[in-house]
């Protein structure tokens, strides 16, 4: 099956160019819309929230200013020396049924204060002990008893601002500011100023900054309205306000949030608690108004995006025509050339890249036209030459095929007859030739010139002879071991695998050093059952093969893992060239060596490994990929605390290939 063509590439160049130009303009606009719509909503909510908070700050300042008028009025009246002196005289005159003229004087002073501070509705002077109203700007209050009122009791000791109370006389909410009148360190009265809450209602009813649906109002510590929002009909301190914002304000919280107002309408509100007057301030605006402003901004953004799309459509169409028209001319000229009209040329449009392309195309067409005539003559001549050469080649090929057929037949017969003998003879002869040659050569050299050779040279030559003899002896020992391995009984016991591996590393230390190899082993080994000398021989064979056939330099990693069937799998990874499937199948066959030209060896090691592990009740195997190295492994049963003598017959040995899981040892 061929590769599926990208749908975009199926379009013409004109269509792709138009879509690309349109996308360059539309995609940023869509991104702007996708980002702008939620951003504009957040910005609108943020701006309206800030606006509500500013209004709340302004209302709070106006409330404090309104209360401060009462404070200043009380302080001015209480601190005026004439008031203090006349208050003393009135108190004394009252006891002696005198002082009516003095009351008129003080009453005029109080009226003056109400003119200065319009929010001070009524100013009264109370008796310092009984709390009875001595004089007041509202004469109907005179003689009334206020001895139980908080503003009288607290006003005896200092400046006091009462909570909002309901006044029976006024039939309206009332806030009183009081202060003591002191004359020569003697309490001679208490000044009480009743504040005009109509001014406060007017202040809070102002909708500046609150839009079409905004409102501001005050509630007392019990949740009753002090000032009414414009959508509530009722009386202050008679109608209770119930909403989440009111509850939070009465809990002393100061924040901004979305909730439902006392009507159940969704609003965004600012709620604050004013502790010095025990009032809660709420400034609210309906969410529908905020949403309407957001929708208007969205319409502007979407309209701008639509206009951008229309302009991009026109611009992309115009630019596409301007860019593609010269290319259409070149395409038409190429089609004419393909049809055989070598005289057709493409018009040039200017010095730009497309014009240069048209000029290059015309030059190519001219060169093609000139070459066409010469090529026709050359093709005719070459055709005749090729026919002659082809006839000669066919005859030669027929002769060679006949020779190769005979050669393959004789080779197959020879290989079939000598397969086993060749493997054994080649391996043993090749591996014995070098050490025997060394022994013979140095022996003859010593025989011919022993008397003339220096002692050091003699010792060196004798050492080489001994080394070669050891190699011959090792080959013979391995042949004997391979032949007799299955007939020998051994003691199987728990192995110290770490000690065995270290012994092999010491044994091959010189070879590891010469190869510049890196050998990585785990810190801990699982304990298996086996025979130390045989397992040492297994590791020695695996490790020496990795040093010979591994990478340059070799990087060898040893490890172990427990298989699902309970067997312990010990493995060795190398960074060599890897093995084919055919090589892996022949690897553990006696007298088989896969690379007989680049590495010395006698092809018996892995066969011995296979017989040792089979004897111990395990299996051997290899996993490899060309170019990715190889993994050689063997399995053993886990350690048993009871040592035993075993002789396993071949019929009881499982040859199932192990499938070791990956395990990465620590350096």
């Amino acid at each position: 099956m061929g590769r599926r063509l990208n749908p975009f590439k199926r379009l013409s160049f004109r269509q792709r160019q138009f879509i690309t130009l349109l996308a360059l303009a539309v995609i940023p606009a869509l991104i702007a819309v996708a980002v702008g719509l939620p951003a504009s909503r957040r910005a609108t909510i943020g701006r309206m929230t800030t606006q509500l908070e500013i209004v709340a700050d302004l209302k709070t300042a106006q409330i404090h200013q309104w209360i401060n008028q009462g404070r200043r009025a009380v302080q001015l009246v209480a601190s005026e020396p004439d008031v203090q002196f006349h208050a003393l005289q009135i108190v004394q005159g009252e006891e002696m049924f005198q002082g009516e003229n003095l009351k008129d004087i003080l009453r005029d002073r109080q009226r003056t204060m109400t003119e200065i501070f319009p929010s001070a509705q009524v100013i009264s002077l109370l008796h310092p002990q009984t709390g009875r109203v001595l004089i007041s700007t509202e004469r109907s209050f005179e003689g009334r008893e206020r001895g139980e009122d908080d503003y009288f009791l607290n006003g005896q000791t200092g400046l006091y601002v009462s909570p909002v109370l309901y006044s029976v006389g006024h039939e309206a909410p009332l806030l009183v500011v009081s202060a003591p009148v002191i004359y020569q360190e003697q309490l001679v009265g208490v000044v009480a100023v009743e504040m005009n809450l109509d001014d406060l209602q007017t202040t809070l009813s102002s909708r500046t900054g609150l839009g079409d649906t905004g409102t501001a109002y005050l509630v007392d510590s019990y949740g009753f309205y002090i000032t009414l929002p414009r959508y509530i009909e009722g009386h202050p301190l008679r109608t209770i306000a119930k909403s989440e914002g009111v509850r939070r304000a009465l809990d002393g919280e100061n924040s901004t949030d979305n909730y439902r107002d006392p009507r159940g309408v969704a609003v965004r509100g600012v709620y604050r608690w004013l502790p010095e007057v025990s009032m809660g301030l709420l400034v609210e605006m309906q969410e529908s108004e905020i949403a309407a402003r957001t929708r208007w901004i969205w319409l502007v953004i979407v309209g701008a995006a639509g206009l951008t799309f229309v302009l991009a459509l026109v611009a992309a169409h115009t630019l596409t025509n301007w860019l593609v028209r010269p290319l259409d001319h070149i395409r038409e000229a190429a089609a004419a050339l393909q049809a055989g009209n070598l005289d057709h040329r493409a018009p040039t449009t200017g010095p730009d890249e497309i014009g240069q392309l048209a000029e290059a195309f015309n030059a190519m067409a001219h060169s093609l036209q000139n070459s066409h005539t010469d090529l026709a003559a050359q093709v005719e001549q070459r055709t005749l030459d090729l026919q002659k050469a082809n006839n000669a080649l066919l005859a030669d090929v027929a002769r060679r095929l006949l020779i190769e057929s005979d050669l393959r037949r004789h080779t197959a017969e020879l290989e079939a007859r000598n397969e086993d003998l060749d493997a054994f003879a080649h391996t043993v002869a090749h591996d014995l030739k070098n050490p025997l040659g060394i022994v013979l050569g140095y022996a003859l050299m010593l025989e011919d010139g022993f008397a003339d050779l220096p002692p050091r040279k003699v010792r060196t030559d004798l050492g080489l002879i001994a080394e070669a003899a050891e190699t011959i002896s090792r080959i013979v020992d391995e042949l004997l071991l391979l032949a007799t391995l299955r007939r020998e009984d051994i003691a199987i016991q728990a192995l110290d695998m770490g000690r065995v591996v270290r012994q092999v590393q010491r044994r091959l230390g010189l070879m590891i050093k010469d190869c510049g190899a890196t050998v990585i082993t785990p810190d801990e080994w699982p304990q298996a059952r086996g025979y130390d000398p045989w397992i040492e021989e297994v590791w020695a064979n695996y490790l020496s093969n990795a040093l010979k056939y591994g990478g340059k330099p070799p990087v060898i990693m040893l490890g172990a893992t427990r298989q699902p069937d309970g067997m312990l799998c010990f493995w060795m990874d190398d960074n060599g060239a890897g093995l084919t499937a055919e090589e892996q199948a022949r690897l553990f066959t006696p007298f088989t060596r896969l690379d007989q030209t680049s590495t010395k060896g006698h092809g018996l090691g892995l066969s011995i490994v296979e017989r040792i592990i089979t004897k111990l009740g395990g299996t051997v195997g290899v996993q490899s990929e060309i170019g990715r190295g190889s993994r050689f492994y063997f399995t053993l049963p886990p350690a048993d605390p009871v040592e035993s003598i075993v002789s396993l017959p071949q019929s009881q040995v499982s040859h199932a290939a192990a499938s070791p899981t990956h395990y990465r040892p620590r350096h």
Side-chain angles (χ1 to χ4, degrees):
M1 293 179 62
R3 292 189 305 171
R4 296 180 61 184
L5 188 62
N6 187 339
F8 186 72
K9 293 184 178 180
R10 296 178 181 176
L11 303 176
S12 66
F13 178 77
R14 177 186 293 275
Q15 292 171 329
R16 294 200 302 270
Q17 190 70 19
F18 176 77
I19 293 173
T20 301
L21 294 174
L22 185 61
L24 290 176
V26 171
I27 290 176
L30 293 178
I31 294 174
V33 170
V35 175
L37 292 182
S40 64
R41 182 178 185 277
R42 291 193 298 270
T44 301
I45 294 174
R47 183 168 60 84
M48 299 307 295
T49 300
T50 302
Q51 184 173 326
L52 289 175
E53 291 175 346
I54 292 173
V55 172
D57 292 339
L58 179 61
K59 300 296 184 184
T60 302
Q62 291 173 339
I63 293 170
H64 288 153
Q65 183 180 5
W66 176 78
I67 295 173
N68 287 335
Q69 285 190 25
R71 289 174 175 168
R72 287 196 296 271
V74 167
Q75 290 172 340
L76 287 175
V77 172
S79 63
E80 188 172 351
D82 290 343
V83 173
Q84 296 171 356
F85 178 71
H86 292 319
L88 176 63
Q89 289 181 317
I90 290 173
V91 172
Q92 293 174 349
E94 180 192 29
E95 294 173 354
M96 298 179 295
F97 302 98
Q98 298 175 359
E100 191 64 33
N101 293 333
L102 294 177
K103 289 182 179 181
D104 292 336
I105 295 172
L106 290 180
R107 195 176 289 118
D108 291 339
R109 293 288 180 88
Q110 291 173 344
R111 289 193 185 99
T112 302
M113 289 299 175
T114 59
E115 294 174 358
I116 297 174
F117 301 102
S119 295
Q121 186 174 8
V122 177
I123 302 177
S124 303
L125 177 64
L126 281 62
H127 191 279
Q129 281 80 37
T130 64
R132 187 164 56 89
V133 179
L134 299 176
I135 59 173
S136 176
T137 56
E138 181 62 44
R139 284 181 177 270
S140 62
F141 288 0
E142 293 180 2
R144 294 183 180 180
E145 296 295 335
R146 304 300 187 195
E148 299 298 328
D149 293 342
D150 288 342
Y151 66 83
F152 167 71
L153 297 175
N154 290 287
Q156 290 178 315
T157 57
L159 182 65
Y160 175 71
V161 179
S162 74
V164 176
L165 307 171
Y166 186 78
S167 173
V168 177
H170 290 288
E171 294 185 353
L174 182 69
L175 184 143
V176 180
V177 182
S178 60
V181 180
I182 306 296
Y183 181 74
Q184 294 182 353
E185 300 182 356
Q186 178 184 353
L187 179 65
V188 296
V190 175
V191 176
V193 175
E194 297 181 11
M195 302 299 295
N196 185 1
L197 266 71
D198 291 339
D199 293 345
L200 188 59
Q201 176 71 47
T202 302
T203 298
L204 292 177
S205 298
S206 174
R207 293 169 60 185
T208 303
L210 293 177
D212 297 330
T213 63
T215 186
Y217 56 93
L218 290 171
V219 296
D220 68 2
S221 58
Y222 298 101
F224 288 94
Y225 287 110
I226 296 174
T227 62
L228 296 174
R230 60 189 183 85
Y231 55 80
I232 294 294
E233 295 182 0
H235 299 280
L237 293 184
R238 292 186 181 180
T239 306
I240 192 168
K242 294 182 179 180
S243 72
E244 182 66 18
V246 171
R247 185 192 66 77
R248 294 183 182 180
L250 297 183
D251 288 342
E253 298 183 22
N254 299 287
S255 185
T256 303
D257 205 348
N258 295 331
Y259 55 88
R260 294 189 177 275
D261 66 10
R263 298 172 299 170
V265 177
V267 298
R268 186 163 185 82
V270 177
Y271 45 87
R272 294 185 180 173
W273 177 248
L274 308 179
E276 61 181 11
V277 290
S278 299
M279 292 188 293
L281 171 65
L282 292 99
V283 180
E284 299 169 342
M285 178 181 290
Q286 293 185 15
E287 288 188 16
S288 59
E289 182 175 351
I290 298 175
R293 298 190 183 190
T294 302
R295 285 194 296 271
W296 184 84
I297 296 175
W298 284 3
L299 288 175
V300 173
I301 294 175
V302 173
L307 180 60
T308 301
F309 176 78
V310 173
L311 294 177
L313 195 66
V314 174
H317 179 72
T318 304
L319 288 174
T320 299
N321 288 336
W322 180 71
L323 290 172
V324 174
R325 187 175 294 109
L327 295 177
D328 286 340
H329 295 157
I330 297 176
R331 179 181 57 80
E332 293 170 358
L337 288 179
Q338 184 180 10
N341 184 5
L342 300 180
D343 296 326
H344 190 86
R345 299 292 183 268
T348 56
T349 58
D352 58 9
E353 288 80 358
I354 297 179
Q356 295 174 4
L357 178 62
E359 293 178 355
F361 178 83
N362 292 337
M364 179 193 69
H366 181 72
S367 176
L368 182 63
Q369 186 177 23
N370 292 336
S371 301
H372 183 267
T373 303
D374 297 337
L375 182 61
Q378 293 178 8
V379 167
E380 184 178 358
Q381 181 61 40
R382 293 287 179 87
T383 301
L384 295 175
D385 295 339
L386 287 175
Q387 288 178 349
K388 294 179 180 179
N390 187 49
N391 293 333
L393 181 60
L394 290 175
D396 185 62
V397 167
R399 181 177 56 83
R400 288 177 179 271
L401 289 176
L402 181 60
I403 295 174
E404 289 179 2
S405 177
D406 293 340
L407 181 60
R408 282 194 298 270
R409 180 171 55 82
H410 290 297
T411 301
E413 292 175 357
L414 182 62
E415 289 178 351
R417 294 176 182 177
N418 299 317
E419 181 177 357
D420 295 334
L421 180 61
D422 180 69
F424 178 80
H426 180 78
T427 301
V428 175
H430 181 274
D431 291 331
L432 291 177
K433 180 179 180 180
N434 287 339
L436 287 174
I438 293 173
V439 171
L440 182 60
Y442 281 102
L444 291 175
M445 185 169 55
L446 290 174
E447 180 182 6
D448 293 340
F450 180 80
D452 299 330
L453 292 175
R456 178 177 297 179
K457 176 63 175 174
V458 173
R459 285 193 299 271
T460 300
D461 292 347
L462 290 175
L464 293 174
I465 292 173
E467 182 179 349
E470 288 178 1
T471 300
I472 296 172
S473 176
R474 185 168 62 252
I475 295 172
V476 173
D477 290 342
E478 290 186 355
L479 288 171
L480 293 174
L481 178 61
L482 182 63
T484 62
L485 184 61
R486 296 187 182 183
R487 296 192 300 271
E488 183 177 347
D489 296 336
I490 47 86
I492 295 180
Q493 58 188 2
L495 297 173
D496 184 355
M497 193 63 72
R499 184 190 61 77
V500 173
V501 171
R502 289 191 295 272
Q503 177 63 26
V504 172
Q505 288 181 283
R506 287 192 294 269
R507 174 176 163 184
L508 302 178
L510 182 60
M511 188 177 184
I512 294 173
K513 181 178 179 181
D514 291 341
C515 294
T518 299
V519 181
I520 305 171
T521 60
D523 295 339
E524 297 180 359
W525 291 89
Q527 197 169 40
R529 297 174 63 240
Y531 183 52
D532 280 12
W534 285 5
I535 299 303
E536 180 179 336
E537 190 65 25
V538 171
W539 279 119
N541 272 280
Y542 275 4
L543 190 57
S544 62
N545 283 343
L547 294 172
K548 296 175 184 177
Y549 300 98
K552 304 298 182 180
V555 177
I556 305 168
M557 182 177 294
L558 279 61
T561 186
R562 185 179 296 274
Q563 297 185 147
D565 60 358
M567 295 290 285
L568 297 176
C569 179
F570 299 87
W571 48 263
M572 179 199 71
D573 289 346
D574 64 40
N575 62 332
L579 302 172
T580 64
E582 180 183 359
E583 291 172 336
Q584 295 178 46
R586 296 191 296 113
L587 198 60
F588 291 94
T589 303
F591 308 111
T592 298
R593 184 171 60 247
L594 301 178
D595 185 0
Q596 300 186 21
T597 59
S598 61
T599 307
K600 296 179 180 179
H602 44 79
L604 296 175
L606 293 180
S607 179
I608 294 174
V609 166
E610 194 272 340
R611 291 197 179 187
I612 287 174
I613 298 302
T614 300
K615 180 79 171 181
L616 296 176
T619 58
V620 297
V622 60
Q623 295 174 340
S624 181
E625 292 183 26
I626 297 298
R628 300 187 64 179
S630 303
R631 166 172 285 193
F632 289 81
Y633 63 88
F634 62 92
T635 63
L636 291 173
D640 190 309
V642 180
E643 182 178 323
S644 60
I645 304 297
V646 299
S647 178
L648 300 178
Q650 180 65 24
S651 60
Q652 297 180 4
V653 178
S654 172
H655 290 275
S659 299
T661 56
H662 289 286
Y663 169 80
R664 291 299 178 195
R666 296 186 293 274
H667 289 266

